[in-house]
Amino acid sequence: MISTLLSRTRRGADGDPVPRLAYGADYNPEQWPRDVWEEDVRLMREAGVNIVSVGIFSWARVQPGADQWDFGWLDEVMDLLHEGGIGVDLATATASPPPWLSTAHPEILPVTADGETLWPGARQHWRPTSPVFREHALRLVRAMATRYADHPALVAWHVSNELGCHNVYDYSDDAARAFRDWLRARYTTLDALNHAWGTAFWSQRYGDWEQILPPRLAASHPNPTQQLDFKRFSSHALKEYLRAEREILREITPDVPVTTNFMVMGGTKGMDYADWAEEVDFVANDHYVVPGPQDRDELSFSANLTSGIAGGRPWFLMEHSTSAVNWQPVNLAKRPGELARDALVHVAHGADAVCFFQWRQSAAGAEKYHSAMVPHAGADSDVFRAVTALGATLKTLAPVAGTEREPARVGILYDWQSWWASEQDSHPTSLLDYRQEALDWYSALLALGVRADLVTTRADLGRYRVLIAPVLHVVPADLAKTLTRYAEQGGHLVTTYFSGIVDENDHVWLGGYPGALRELLGIRIEEFGPLPAAETVELDDGTTGALWTDQVTVTDPETQVLARYRTGAQAGRAAVTRRPTGPGSAAYVSTRLGVEGLTSLLPRLLEPAGVTSELPADARGPVELAVRRGPAGRFLFLVNRTDATVPVLGLAGEVLLGARDADGTLTLGPRDVAVLRQPAV
Ligand code: GAL
């Protein structure tokens, strides 16, 4: 789908339906005088750009007043791009309401948990549930769709922008009304809601739907199920809004695919993208690197998870940065090689499009120090040269376009319900970090050179020989059954501390932890043993635990103890266990081992499943392997994770990117990416 998007441009540079990778950026021509636009198109062609996202923040410009429209400038931009052979991913322009709207209708402005209004002056100052906002926004969507339905530059629709980036949690009266409607649909009766929310506690019993509010700032901890449901509702409300825009677009341009840019990255937690994925014609994602010890692993993790959300099908990298961003405490420039490597890691994990925020670096506004494809210095710059080189690389990688991810033998389950619930307040520890635990397992697998797929609960889990489910906190009865069946049928399940603890209503499974998985794991825990921030415990296999321990009792004589606590309150007790389940097994890791500890433990967990690295011995660790496949072949992406030169010996295949030495060794320079093509299997 993405790889053939550009064939819609009809008169494009090559103008044919041959699959190719898309390359481009957000393009904001309204920030520049007319004469810059022509230079933009010329430079875009020079860089190999073939798609741009236009109009994302153009509402005030295309609709300067309630009944005033000004499309002339945008018509001209669309024509110029089309003449340049560049396709347009056209935004519906609804991301940032103009001052005339927020002045006339302040009731569209979001409200925080403590009752503060989020005023205009930045962006995304709208309530996802505001009927007034929706009326105005959908009118604009209809106007945009009608105006550009037949424009030959139009290749896709871009709904709003990063839905929920700043406004996912709104506690306004509109939100309260919509929350009640959502709860009515979920529970039907107040009795069911009272049961689910456990309102017998602290005298919270509701006698009327009108008494229910969002979890606004309260005297103490708000009801946990109310909080969890509000998270579910808030994600759902934005999804409903996405659908409302999409329905208009589909009505007017049924043949033009619709997407919106997700934010699978860092700590963006509010939107359950596993639940959103089927609402778009192709998944699109934005990603920004936050510097830190695992920053490039996190990039790979996010790209991999995006692929999981997209069901292994190709997806669209809608934004990332050529160099520094502007929103971190210190905004680091990328080092040589990082621009290309970061982009290609996304491609390795299924991106069929590589786009940046943004095309030309702004001279004014809050993002004037955010890097772009054309920096303040202009085209005579290292950044623009790297951008142009990447454009050429993406052309040579055209055969990759349209291929899917080749499933790995290890899956890592990522679940928004568990993410949300495990990190709520009034828990055994406030230090638990769901994403970090999952990332640590991923980093450990990278360190061993073992490929793994990030997947959601919607995936076919049975295809994985090993399924790692870190902090799978919320385990409804049907998920417990699925996991039990998985292990009994030969799968090797690995789970961790604080997993299997509650059902979908955040009610604890009783009788000893981890209630939902107790029998499967063959253990029973009477008390949690979280550790203070600075405290660690030693295990008898030489690893070190932090954050958490459990008072584990082995209940099934078959359950093996892989490691015991050597120090701390649980000394002598099991720390890591595995229960054979016929051909499969179910393992439990009761503490946070971190990347180093997991790297040391994992071979013992992978061994019964027969999983080892697919990489040559010397490359295990320094090199990341990702594989895409399709009718055109099997594509091996080899990413140098280090700042040193790494030789990769003995991997067969035609070199699409990179070079072999005379003896056939593929040598990866610091931060290099190589791509090999093997015949389709
Ligand atoms: C994204 C956003 C872009 C731009 C970018 C800067 O969140 O969609 O419009 O603000 O961040 O990193």
Side-chain angles (χ1 to χ4, degrees):
M1 155 83 76
I2 299 166
S3 57
T4 52
L5 265 190
L6 299 162
S7 60
R8 281 185 51 88
T9 51
R10 288 167 222 160
R11 273 200 310 128
D14 29 20
D16 53 31
V18 176
R20 52 184 171 154
L21 297 170
Y23 187 43
D26 282 14
Y27 180 40
N28 298 304
E30 63 268 50
Q31 295 178 17
W32 300 96
R34 172 71 175 76
D35 54 329
V36 177
W37 302 353
E38 261 147 44
E39 190 197 38
D40 283 334
V41 174
R42 183 176 62 72
L43 291 176
M44 284 176 192
R45 292 178 63 98
E46 197 177 315
V49 164
N50 51 29
I51 193 163
V52 287
S53 298
V54 178
I56 293 175
F57 297 107
S58 301
W59 191 342
R61 185 76 192 264
V62 295
Q63 192 186 7
D67 291 308
Q68 290 167 269
W69 299 91
D70 177 9
F71 286 113
W73 68 277
L74 187 52
D75 295 350
E76 211 176 325
V77 169
M78 296 285 285
D79 292 349
L80 271 177
L81 289 165
H82 180 59
E83 281 156 26
I86 295 156
V88 175
D89 165 53
L90 187 58
T92 53
T94 54
S96 197
W100 62 259
L101 179 55
S102 48
T103 305
H105 294 287
E107 71 274 24
I108 69 168
L109 300 172
V111 177
T112 62
D114 53 358
E116 290 289 339
T117 296
L118 296 180
W119 294 100
R123 64 175 174 186
Q124 217 175 56
H125 40 279
W126 51 274
R127 301 176 183 177
T129 56
S130 160
V132 175
F133 175 77
R134 191 177 275 225
E135 182 194 324
H136 285 271
L138 297 186
R139 188 169 166 229
L140 174 61
V141 175
R142 189 168 286 283
M144 291 287 285
T146 307
R147 181 85 182 185
Y148 297 106
D150 296 319
H151 198 287
L154 176 68
V155 296
W157 286 112
H158 180 115
V159 168
S160 190
N161 190 60
E162 287 189 345
L163 287 164
C165 178
H166 312 294
N167 64 351
V168 57
Y169 297 123
D170 162 45
Y171 298 79
S172 66
D173 291 342
D174 280 335
R177 273 187 287 275
F179 187 37
R180 284 178 208 125
D181 290 345
W182 182 87
L183 291 167
R184 269 203 191 93
R186 183 174 174 89
Y187 295 110
T188 314
T189 67
L190 265 186
D191 276 352
L193 177 135
N194 278 311
H195 169 74
W197 284 19
T199 54
F201 182 80
W202 278 357
S203 178
Q204 291 172 351
R205 185 167 185 83
Y206 292 98
D208 191 314
W209 291 97
E210 292 305 307
Q211 296 163 356
I212 300 172
L213 295 169
R216 292 177 177 158
L217 184 65
S220 179
H221 306 294
N223 180 302
T225 315
Q226 176 191 14
Q227 290 192 58
L228 183 58
D229 271 349
F230 189 66
K231 293 186 175 90
R232 291 170 172 149
F233 154 76
S234 298
S235 176
H236 175 85
L238 283 164
K239 185 179 82 169
E240 283 299 302
Y241 177 77
L242 158 63
R243 288 159 69 125
E245 285 208 14
R246 186 200 63 198
E247 285 315 296
I248 293 173
L249 299 168
R250 285 198 177 153
E251 173 200 323
I252 299 172
T253 54
D255 298 330
V256 180
V258 179
T259 195
T260 190
N261 42 348
F262 294 175
M263 304 169 66
V264 180
M265 63 173 131
T268 302
K269 183 174 159 189
M271 288 70 72
D272 179 354
Y273 294 127
D275 179 47
W276 288 29
E278 67 191 26
E279 305 297 341
V280 290
D281 292 319
F282 58 87
V283 166
N285 195 48
D286 295 352
H287 185 271
Y288 291 94
V289 174
V290 178
Q294 281 166 277
D295 52 12
R296 262 60 194 192
D297 291 0
E298 194 283 325
L299 189 167
S300 169
F301 178 97
S302 293
N304 194 322
L305 179 55
T306 306
S307 176
I309 289 164
R313 285 178 291 279
W315 51 276
F316 197 111
L317 178 64
M318 190 66 84
E319 289 180 26
H320 71 315
S321 69
T322 58
S323 192
V325 298
N326 65 301
W327 42 263
Q328 289 165 13
V330 177
N331 296 296
L332 301 185
K334 289 196 181 181
R335 296 178 300 162
E338 287 183 340
L339 181 152
R341 183 188 59 182
D342 291 358
L344 294 174
V345 170
H346 290 289
V347 178
H349 288 287
D352 262 6
V354 169
C355 292
F356 292 101
F357 175 83
Q358 61 177 325
W359 166 250
R360 188 180 279 278
Q361 187 168 10
S362 303
E367 292 179 331
K368 60 183 175 297
Y369 297 119
H370 192 295
S371 61
M373 293 174 92
V374 181
H376 286 158
D380 181 11
S381 58
D382 285 346
V383 166
F384 189 70
R385 281 183 280 277
V387 157
T388 305
L390 177 60
T393 300
L394 294 176
K395 275 193 189 134
T396 66
L397 293 181
V400 170
T403 58
E404 307 209 332
R405 106 161 145 193
E406 179 178 280
R409 287 174 292 182
V410 179
I412 302 177
L413 190 58
Y414 202 87
D415 178 41
W416 267 259
Q417 302 295 312
S418 285
W419 191 6
W420 290 341
S422 67
E423 292 182 1
Q424 291 208 132
D425 59 49
S426 39
H427 276 188
T429 177
S430 58
L431 304 175
L432 186 146
D433 184 336
Y434 176 89
R435 199 176 202 268
Q436 184 63 50
E437 182 64 35
L439 176 59
D440 283 355
W441 284 88
Y442 189 71
S443 283
L445 287 158
L446 285 174
L448 294 167
V450 174
R451 210 152 57 83
D453 292 347
L454 265 302
V455 289
T456 72
T457 50
R458 286 159 174 80
D460 168 15
L461 303 178
R463 67 157 41 144
Y464 295 102
R465 288 197 209 164
V466 176
L467 181 67
I468 300 172
V471 195
L472 189 66
H473 185 63
V474 180
V475 180
D478 54 347
L479 181 56
K481 274 197 204 109
T482 304
L483 296 176
T484 303
R485 209 176 318 120
Y486 167 79
E488 284 171 353
Q489 291 177 353
H492 295 271
L493 177 73
V494 178
T495 189
T496 74
Y497 59 91
F498 216 32
S499 295
I501 303 298
V502 296
D503 67 9
E504 63 275 28
N505 293 326
D506 203 24
H507 291 200
V508 173
W509 290 104
L510 302 177
Y513 313 124
L517 303 174
R518 198 170 58 222
E519 285 186 16
L520 175 60
L521 295 166
I523 56 168
R524 182 164 179 268
I525 295 162
E526 289 184 26
E527 265 196 293
F528 302 124
L531 299 175
E535 207 170 301
T536 57
V537 288
E538 301 302 318
L539 276 62
D540 65 3
D541 62 356
T543 57
T544 302
L547 182 82
W548 194 283
T549 63
D550 280 317
Q551 205 187 81
V552 176
T553 303
V554 171
T555 51
D556 184 328
E558 297 269 299
T559 304
Q560 305 148 4
V561 177
L562 300 188
R564 289 184 186 277
Y565 288 104
R566 210 170 54 73
T567 63
Q570 318 300 340
R573 282 186 182 272
V576 181
T577 61
R578 180 174 53 215
R579 176 175 164 259
T581 53
S585 66
Y588 183 72
V589 181
S590 64
T591 185
R592 177 167 181 221
L593 291 177
V595 179
E596 212 182 304
L598 293 175
T599 309
S600 131
L601 173 68
L602 260 168
R604 297 167 74 199
L605 299 176
L606 300 177
E607 195 266 328
V611 174
T612 51
S613 173
E614 299 159 85
L615 283 166
D618 287 351
R620 297 178 186 173
V623 174
E624 172 180 359
L625 170 69
V627 185
R628 297 180 63 168
R629 70 173 180 202
R634 186 169 184 257
F635 297 90
L636 277 66
F637 284 75
L638 299 153
V639 183
N640 186 348
R641 301 173 65 222
T642 75
D643 292 336
T645 297
V646 182
V648 183
L649 292 96
L651 267 189
E654 169 204 351
V655 179
L656 270 193
L657 182 65
R660 288 193 193 275
D661 302 343
D663 66 354
T665 306
L666 196 66
T667 301
L668 295 176
R671 307 187 277 276
D672 268 2
V673 179
V675 183
L676 295 180
R677 170 160 46 185
Q678 297 179 344
V681 278

mmCIF file of all heavy atoms in Angstrom, residues 71-101:
data_model
loop_
_atom_site.group_PDB
_atom_site.id
_atom_site.type_symbol
_atom_site.label_atom_id
_atom_site.label_comp_id
_atom_site.label_asym_id
_atom_site.label_seq_id
_atom_site.Cartn_x
_atom_site.Cartn_y
_atom_site.Cartn_z
ATOM 1 N N PHE A 71 -7.940 29.211 0.000
ATOM 2 C CA PHE A 71 -7.231 28.024 -0.480
ATOM 3 C C PHE A 71 -6.204 28.350 -1.561
ATOM 4 O O PHE A 71 -5.471 27.466 -1.987
ATOM 5 C CB PHE A 71 -8.224 27.003 -1.043
ATOM 6 C CG PHE A 71 -9.016 26.289 0.011
ATOM 7 C CD1 PHE A 71 -10.387 26.495 0.131
ATOM 8 C CD2 PHE A 71 -8.405 25.410 0.877
ATOM 9 C CE1 PHE A 71 -11.117 25.824 1.091
ATOM 10 C CE2 PHE A 71 -9.125 24.729 1.849
ATOM 11 C CZ PHE A 71 -10.493 24.939 1.958
ATOM 12 N N GLY A 72 -6.210 29.609 -2.036
ATOM 13 C CA GLY A 72 -5.380 29.955 -3.193
ATOM 14 C C GLY A 72 -3.925 29.553 -3.016
ATOM 15 O O GLY A 72 -3.321 28.911 -3.881
ATOM 16 N N TRP A 73 -3.340 29.909 -1.877
ATOM 17 C CA TRP A 73 -1.920 29.618 -1.634
ATOM 18 C C TRP A 73 -1.665 28.109 -1.609
ATOM 19 O O TRP A 73 -0.664 27.635 -2.126
ATOM 20 C CB TRP A 73 -1.466 30.257 -0.322
ATOM 21 C CG TRP A 73 -2.095 29.619 0.894
ATOM 22 C CD1 TRP A 73 -3.323 29.887 1.416
ATOM 23 C CD2 TRP A 73 -1.539 28.568 1.683
ATOM 24 N NE1 TRP A 73 -3.571 29.079 2.492
ATOM 25 C CE2 TRP A 73 -2.493 28.259 2.686
ATOM 26 C CE3 TRP A 73 -0.336 27.863 1.664
ATOM 27 C CZ2 TRP A 73 -2.294 27.271 3.645
ATOM 28 C CZ3 TRP A 73 -0.131 26.880 2.629
ATOM 29 C CH2 TRP A 73 -1.099 26.586 3.595
ATOM 30 N N LEU A 74 -2.628 27.364 -1.034
ATOM 31 C CA LEU A 74 -2.440 25.917 -0.929
ATOM 32 C C LEU A 74 -2.601 25.255 -2.302
ATOM 33 O O LEU A 74 -1.873 24.310 -2.632
ATOM 34 C CB LEU A 74 -3.436 25.340 0.095
ATOM 35 C CG LEU A 74 -3.284 23.879 0.472
ATOM 36 C CD1 LEU A 74 -1.862 23.517 0.901
ATOM 37 C CD2 LEU A 74 -4.261 23.509 1.612
ATOM 38 N N ASP A 75 -3.521 25.805 -3.100
ATOM 39 C CA ASP A 75 -3.656 25.305 -4.488
ATOM 40 C C ASP A 75 -2.298 25.412 -5.186
ATOM 41 O O ASP A 75 -1.845 24.490 -5.861
ATOM 42 C CB ASP A 75 -4.649 26.150 -5.296
ATOM 43 C CG ASP A 75 -6.071 26.043 -4.771
ATOM 44 O OD1 ASP A 75 -6.325 25.181 -3.912
ATOM 45 O OD2 ASP A 75 -6.924 26.850 -5.221
ATOM 46 N N GLU A 76 -1.679 26.574 -4.987
ATOM 47 C CA GLU A 76 -0.412 26.840 -5.674
ATOM 48 C C GLU A 76 0.689 25.885 -5.177
ATOM 49 O O GLU A 76 1.464 25.348 -5.965
ATOM 50 C CB GLU A 76 -0.016 28.288 -5.395
ATOM 51 C CG GLU A 76 0.743 28.900 -6.532
ATOM 52 C CD GLU A 76 1.031 30.378 -6.249
ATOM 53 O OE1 GLU A 76 0.179 31.051 -5.613
ATOM 54 O OE2 GLU A 76 2.113 30.822 -6.650
ATOM 55 N N VAL A 77 0.717 25.661 -3.864
ATOM 56 C CA VAL A 77 1.710 24.733 -3.297
ATOM 57 C C VAL A 77 1.488 23.325 -3.856
ATOM 58 O O VAL A 77 2.432 22.644 -4.270
ATOM 59 C CB VAL A 77 1.610 24.728 -1.749
ATOM 60 C CG1 VAL A 77 2.425 23.586 -1.146
ATOM 61 C CG2 VAL A 77 2.070 26.058 -1.173
ATOM 62 N N MET A 78 0.248 22.914 -3.884
ATOM 63 C CA MET A 78 -0.068 21.559 -4.394
ATOM 64 C C MET A 78 0.361 21.437 -5.856
ATOM 65 O O MET A 78 0.945 20.429 -6.263
ATOM 66 C CB MET A 78 -1.574 21.283 -4.283
ATOM 67 C CG MET A 78 -2.121 21.251 -2.870
ATOM 68 S SD MET A 78 -1.718 19.746 -1.951
ATOM 69 C CE MET A 78 -2.822 18.557 -2.682
ATOM 70 N N ASP A 79 0.082 22.492 -6.633
ATOM 71 C CA ASP A 79 0.452 22.455 -8.066
ATOM 72 C C ASP A 79 1.965 22.384 -8.227
ATOM 73 O O ASP A 79 2.482 21.606 -9.024
ATOM 74 C CB ASP A 79 -0.075 23.702 -8.792
ATOM 75 C CG ASP A 79 -1.598 23.707 -8.880
ATOM 76 O OD1 ASP A 79 -2.205 22.659 -8.573
ATOM 77 O OD2 ASP A 79 -2.174 24.762 -9.230
ATOM 78 N N LEU A 80 2.662 23.238 -7.462
ATOM 79 C CA LEU A 80 4.131 23.260 -7.567
ATOM 80 C C LEU A 80 4.735 21.907 -7.224
ATOM 81 O O LEU A 80 5.633 21.414 -7.909
ATOM 82 C CB LEU A 80 4.706 24.279 -6.578
ATOM 83 C CG LEU A 80 4.881 25.701 -7.038
ATOM 84 C CD1 LEU A 80 5.403 26.541 -5.867
ATOM 85 C CD2 LEU A 80 5.872 25.774 -8.200
ATOM 86 N N LEU A 81 4.227 21.307 -6.158
ATOM 87 C CA LEU A 81 4.758 20.002 -5.744
ATOM 88 C C LEU A 81 4.478 18.965 -6.820
ATOM 89 O O LEU A 81 5.328 18.154 -7.177
ATOM 90 C CB LEU A 81 4.146 19.580 -4.400
ATOM 91 C CG LEU A 81 4.651 20.404 -3.206
ATOM 92 C CD1 LEU A 81 3.753 20.199 -1.978
ATOM 93 C CD2 LEU A 81 6.099 20.032 -2.846
ATOM 94 N N HIS A 82 3.283 19.025 -7.350
ATOM 95 C CA HIS A 82 2.931 18.050 -8.381
ATOM 96 C C HIS A 82 3.815 18.208 -9.618
ATOM 97 O O HIS A 82 4.319 17.212 -10.154
ATOM 98 C CB HIS A 82 1.452 18.197 -8.754
ATOM 99 C CG HIS A 82 1.061 17.213 -9.797
ATOM 100 N ND1 HIS A 82 1.178 15.855 -9.596
ATOM 101 C CD2 HIS A 82 0.604 17.371 -11.059
ATOM 102 C CE1 HIS A 82 0.801 15.223 -10.689
ATOM 103 N NE2 HIS A 82 0.446 16.120 -11.594
ATOM 104 N N GLU A 83 4.034 19.456 -9.994
ATOM 105 C CA GLU A 83 4.921 19.689 -11.153
ATOM 106 C C GLU A 83 6.318 19.144 -10.868
ATOM 107 O O GLU A 83 7.017 18.700 -11.777
ATOM 108 C CB GLU A 83 5.019 21.181 -11.474
ATOM 109 C CG GLU A 83 3.806 21.700 -12.242
ATOM 110 C CD GLU A 83 3.627 23.204 -12.039
ATOM 111 O OE1 GLU A 83 4.628 23.904 -11.760
ATOM 112 O OE2 GLU A 83 2.466 23.664 -12.130
ATOM 113 N N GLY A 84 6.717 19.158 -9.592
ATOM 114 C CA GLY A 84 8.031 18.647 -9.214
ATOM 115 C C GLY A 84 8.043 17.138 -9.021
ATOM 116 O O GLY A 84 9.063 16.577 -8.617
ATOM 117 N N GLY A 85 6.910 16.494 -9.248
ATOM 118 C CA GLY A 85 6.855 15.038 -9.102
ATOM 119 C C GLY A 85 6.797 14.590 -7.648
ATOM 120 O O GLY A 85 7.182 13.466 -7.319
ATOM 121 N N ILE A 86 6.321 15.473 -6.782
ATOM 122 C CA ILE A 86 6.291 15.149 -5.347
ATOM 123 C C ILE A 86 4.845 14.953 -4.897
ATOM 124 O O ILE A 86 3.992 15.823 -5.129
ATOM 125 C CB ILE A 86 6.983 16.271 -4.543
ATOM 126 C CG1 ILE A 86 8.474 16.284 -4.933
ATOM 127 C CG2 ILE A 86 6.829 16.071 -3.045
ATOM 128 C CD1 ILE A 86 9.158 17.586 -4.728
ATOM 129 N N GLY A 87 4.594 13.813 -4.289
ATOM 130 C CA GLY A 87 3.244 13.508 -3.817
ATOM 131 C C GLY A 87 2.964 14.216 -2.502
ATOM 132 O O GLY A 87 3.886 14.596 -1.776
ATOM 133 N N VAL A 88 1.681 14.383 -2.199
ATOM 134 C CA VAL A 88 1.316 15.086 -0.964
ATOM 135 C C VAL A 88 0.471 14.195 -0.065
ATOM 136 O O VAL A 88 -0.548 13.635 -0.490
ATOM 137 C CB VAL A 88 0.559 16.395 -1.280
ATOM 138 C CG1 VAL A 88 0.078 17.056 0.018
ATOM 139 C CG2 VAL A 88 1.464 17.363 -2.045
ATOM 140 N N ASP A 89 0.942 14.062 1.155
ATOM 141 C CA ASP A 89 0.178 13.457 2.239
ATOM 142 C C ASP A 89 -0.508 14.662 2.880
ATOM 143 O O ASP A 89 0.109 15.391 3.648
ATOM 144 C CB ASP A 89 1.174 12.778 3.190
ATOM 145 C CG ASP A 89 0.556 12.419 4.522
ATOM 146 O OD1 ASP A 89 -0.478 11.762 4.520
ATOM 147 O OD2 ASP A 89 1.139 12.794 5.563
ATOM 148 N N LEU A 90 -1.756 14.879 2.495
ATOM 149 C CA LEU A 90 -2.386 16.158 2.852
ATOM 150 C C LEU A 90 -3.076 16.077 4.211
ATOM 151 O O LEU A 90 -3.922 15.202 4.447
ATOM 152 C CB LEU A 90 -3.398 16.559 1.770
ATOM 153 C CG LEU A 90 -4.023 17.946 1.909
ATOM 154 C CD1 LEU A 90 -2.976 19.061 1.916
ATOM 155 C CD2 LEU A 90 -5.047 18.196 0.796
ATOM 156 N N ALA A 91 -2.711 17.001 5.081
ATOM 157 C CA ALA A 91 -3.324 17.033 6.407
ATOM 158 C C ALA A 91 -4.729 17.603 6.306
ATOM 159 O O ALA A 91 -5.038 18.402 5.419
ATOM 160 C CB ALA A 91 -2.479 17.889 7.339
ATOM 161 N N THR A 92 -5.559 17.197 7.256
ATOM 162 C CA THR A 92 -6.907 17.767 7.315
ATOM 163 C C THR A 92 -6.863 19.141 7.988
ATOM 164 O O THR A 92 -7.872 19.828 8.038
ATOM 165 C CB THR A 92 -7.836 16.830 8.098
ATOM 166 O OG1 THR A 92 -7.243 16.542 9.378
ATOM 167 C CG2 THR A 92 -8.045 15.533 7.330
ATOM 168 N N ALA A 93 -5.704 19.515 8.506
ATOM 169 C CA ALA A 93 -5.435 20.863 9.037
ATOM 170 C C ALA A 93 -6.130 21.166 10.365
ATOM 171 O O ALA A 93 -6.183 22.308 10.807
ATOM 172 C CB ALA A 93 -5.766 21.936 7.994
ATOM 173 N N THR A 94 -6.638 20.129 11.030
ATOM 174 C CA THR A 94 -7.442 20.374 12.230
ATOM 175 C C THR A 94 -6.641 20.354 13.540
ATOM 176 O O THR A 94 -7.223 20.463 14.623
ATOM 177 C CB THR A 94 -8.541 19.288 12.341
ATOM 178 O OG1 THR A 94 -7.906 17.998 12.276
ATOM 179 C CG2 THR A 94 -9.538 19.408 11.211
ATOM 180 N N ALA A 95 -5.318 20.208 13.446
ATOM 181 C CA ALA A 95 -4.523 19.967 14.661
ATOM 182 C C ALA A 95 -4.533 21.140 15.645
ATOM 183 O O ALA A 95 -4.502 20.941 16.849
ATOM 184 C CB ALA A 95 -3.086 19.633 14.273
ATOM 185 N N SER A 96 -4.572 22.342 15.110
ATOM 186 C CA SER A 96 -4.415 23.495 15.995
ATOM 187 C C SER A 96 -5.464 24.555 15.664
ATOM 188 O O SER A 96 -5.347 25.259 14.665
ATOM 189 C CB SER A 96 -2.998 24.062 15.803
ATOM 190 O OG SER A 96 -2.676 24.891 16.874
ATOM 191 N N PRO A 97 -6.505 24.658 16.493
ATOM 192 C CA PRO A 97 -7.602 25.576 16.162
ATOM 193 C C PRO A 97 -7.156 27.040 16.152
ATOM 194 O O PRO A 97 -6.338 27.446 16.982
ATOM 195 C CB PRO A 97 -8.646 25.328 17.244
ATOM 196 C CG PRO A 97 -8.018 24.455 18.268
ATOM 197 C CD PRO A 97 -6.756 23.879 17.708
ATOM 198 N N PRO A 98 -7.676 27.830 15.224
ATOM 199 C CA PRO A 98 -7.263 29.232 15.100
ATOM 200 C C PRO A 98 -7.859 30.107 16.199
ATOM 201 O O PRO A 98 -8.867 29.750 16.803
ATOM 202 C CB PRO A 98 -7.839 29.630 13.739
ATOM 203 C CG PRO A 98 -8.991 28.715 13.515
ATOM 204 C CD PRO A 98 -8.681 27.431 14.243
ATOM 205 N N PRO A 99 -7.232 31.265 16.434
ATOM 206 C CA PRO A 99 -7.709 32.155 17.501
ATOM 207 C C PRO A 99 -9.182 32.546 17.368
ATOM 208 O O PRO A 99 -9.876 32.677 18.379
ATOM 209 C CB PRO A 99 -6.790 33.372 17.373
ATOM 210 C CG PRO A 99 -5.525 32.815 16.793
ATOM 211 C CD PRO A 99 -5.958 31.718 15.867
ATOM 212 N N TRP A 100 -9.676 32.733 16.130
ATOM 213 C CA TRP A 100 -11.086 33.142 16.031
ATOM 214 C C TRP A 100 -12.006 32.094 16.628
ATOM 215 O O TRP A 100 -13.032 32.416 17.229
ATOM 216 C CB TRP A 100 -11.490 33.482 14.583
ATOM 217 C CG TRP A 100 -11.391 32.358 13.577
ATOM 218 C CD1 TRP A 100 -10.395 32.167 12.668
ATOM 219 C CD2 TRP A 100 -12.335 31.292 13.373
ATOM 220 N NE1 TRP A 100 -10.635 31.046 11.923
ATOM 221 C CE2 TRP A 100 -11.826 30.488 12.329
ATOM 222 C CE3 TRP A 100 -13.554 30.925 13.954
ATOM 223 C CZ2 TRP A 100 -12.484 29.348 11.858
ATOM 224 C CZ3 TRP A 100 -14.206 29.797 13.490
ATOM 225 C CH2 TRP A 100 -13.678 29.020 12.460
ATOM 226 N N LEU A 101 -11.613 30.814 16.524
ATOM 227 C CA LEU A 101 -12.470 29.745 17.037
ATOM 228 C C LEU A 101 -12.390 29.661 18.560
ATOM 229 O O LEU A 101 -13.416 29.586 19.246
ATOM 230 C CB LEU A 101 -12.076 28.404 16.397
ATOM 231 C CG LEU A 101 -12.882 27.188 16.856
ATOM 232 C CD1 LEU A 101 -14.382 27.398 16.668
ATOM 233 C CD2 LEU A 101 -12.439 25.928 16.110
#
